[in-house]
């Protein structure tokens, strides 16, 4: 399964709404997640099971979608939200992971 | 507090070997699938391998099959990656990650850098 994220780069200002997309080459299981990565840091889990926020993740982050089309929405951008975001899925069998190529969210 | 700390990275020549370790603490290590995930410099994330709780099942990305071996020692709360016949394209930061809710990697270590170069 190939995950394709769009856009590659998204330029927005603090306070704006961000919508990031991830499309799978075939229908994926419910094991779908979003990660945030800042320079020099390990990725951080934001969303799992497509729409459930991980512990400690602010409510401005939300995930939606099923089948082949998924999205991550940040309702009102904070300065600390500018980072690279990755989508990820785990197939049922064999239990292997696939990551999207990433979307860079940059300050406009 | 869940902690994962990788070690063992460094400079290795093409064709050489390296063994990465990941020390886990703050959770019941033997209850979780564990993963190795890598990131080449300036690139995206690539899953490398995972291992079931008791070590009975192991899976690998195609590009490392036959060269890398994942293993674990539940008595020592440790995860390992034996890397043999390394290639320049194996150069990356290697992360150890726990598989949590929703079969997603919920905790990651800070990573260890492996550089394959002559």
């Amino acid at each position: 399964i190939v995950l394709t994220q769009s856009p590659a780069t998204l330029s927005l200002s603090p306070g704006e709404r961000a919508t990031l997309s991830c499309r799978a080459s075939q229908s994926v299981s419910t094991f779908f997640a979003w990660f945030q990565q800042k320079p020099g840091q390990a990725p951080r889990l934001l969303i799992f099971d497509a729409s459930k926020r991980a512990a400690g993740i602010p409510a401005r982050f939300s995930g939606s979608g099923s089948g082949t089309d998924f999205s991550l929405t940040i309702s009102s951008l904070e300065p600390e939200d500018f980072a690279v975001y990755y989508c990820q899925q785990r197939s049922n069998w064999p239990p292997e992971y696939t990551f999207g190529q990433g979307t860079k969210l940059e300050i406009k | 507090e869940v902690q994962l700390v990788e070690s063992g990275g460094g400079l290795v020549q093409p064709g050489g070997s390296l063994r990465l370790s990941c020390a886990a603490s703050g959770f019941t290590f033997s209850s979780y699938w564990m993963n190795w995930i890598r990131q080449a410099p300036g690139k995206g994330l690539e899953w490398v391998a995972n291992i079931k709780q008791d070590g009975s099942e192991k899976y690998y990305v195609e590009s490392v099959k036959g060269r890398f071996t994942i293993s674990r020692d539940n008595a020592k709360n440790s995860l390992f990656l034996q890397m043999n016949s390394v290639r320049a394209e194996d150069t990356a930061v290697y992360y150890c990650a726990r598989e949590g809710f929703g079969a997603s990697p919920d905790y990651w270590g800070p990573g260890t850098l492996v550089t394959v170069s002559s």
Side-chain angles (χ1 to χ4, degrees):
Chain A
I1 296 176
V2 176
L3 298 179
T4 302
Q5 293 186 238
S6 61
T9 303
L10 185 58
S11 300
L12 293 170
S13 301
E16 290 193 291
R17 181 185 185 90
T19 302
L20 288 65
S21 297
C22 182
R23 175 163 290 179
S25 57
Q26 58 185 273
S27 185
V28 304
S29 70
T30 58
F31 302 142
F32 189 91
W34 289 94
F35 295 84
Q36 176 193 69
Q37 188 179 32
K38 297 180 179 179
Q41 296 183 15
R44 177 174 70 146
L45 178 66
L46 300 174
I47 301 289
F48 67 96
D49 281 351
S51 62
K52 298 175 182 176
R53 273 191 303 277
I57 301 303
R60 64 181 181 272
F61 291 90
S62 62
S64 63
S66 64
T68 60
D69 291 293
F70 298 84
S71 63
L72 173 71
T73 299
I74 310 171
S75 58
S76 179
L77 286 166
E78 297 288 341
E80 62 266 29
D81 297 337
F82 293 91
V84 178
Y85 291 82
Y86 293 94
C87 59
Q88 174 259 334
Q89 69 89 31
R90 200 208 79 169
S91 52
N92 284 320
W93 199 262
E96 301 176 350
Y97 290 174
T98 306
F99 289 92
Q101 83 279 15
T103 289
K104 182 179 181 181
L105 179 56
E106 63 177 25
I107 299 177
K108 187 173 182 179
Chain B
E1 179 191 5
V2 173
Q3 285 199 332
L4 298 167
V5 180
E6 305 89 344
S7 60
L11 177 64
V12 58
Q13 292 189 339
S17 297
L18 206 61
R19 189 189 195 214
L20 305 184
S21 300
C22 172
S25 61
F27 65 102
T28 305
F29 180 73
S30 59
S31 297
Y32 291 85
W33 281 78
M34 295 296 297
N35 294 268
W36 287 102
I37 297 165
R38 67 185 178 183
Q39 187 170 36
K43 303 298 184 181
L45 300 167
E46 181 183 39
W47 171 78
V48 175
N50 61 6
I51 185 169
K52 194 176 179 180
Q53 290 91 332
D54 61 359
S56 61
E57 296 181 31
K58 306 173 184 182
Y59 300 91
Y60 301 89
V61 69
E62 192 64 36
S63 60
V64 308
K65 284 180 182 177
R67 300 190 299 121
F68 290 10
T69 301
I70 189 171
S71 62
R72 64 192 297 163
D73 184 338
N74 287 342
K76 296 183 177 180
N77 293 335
S78 295
L79 178 72
F80 305 101
L81 185 68
Q82 178 66 43
M83 305 171 60
N84 297 332
S85 303
V86 296
R87 306 165 179 167
E89 54 266 34
D90 296 321
T91 293
V93 173
Y94 284 74
Y95 296 103
C96 161
R98 185 185 86 167
E99 182 176 285
F101 294 120
S104 299
D106 59 351
Y107 284 93
W108 300 59
T112 187
L113 176 63
V114 173
T115 303
V116 182
S117 175
S118 54

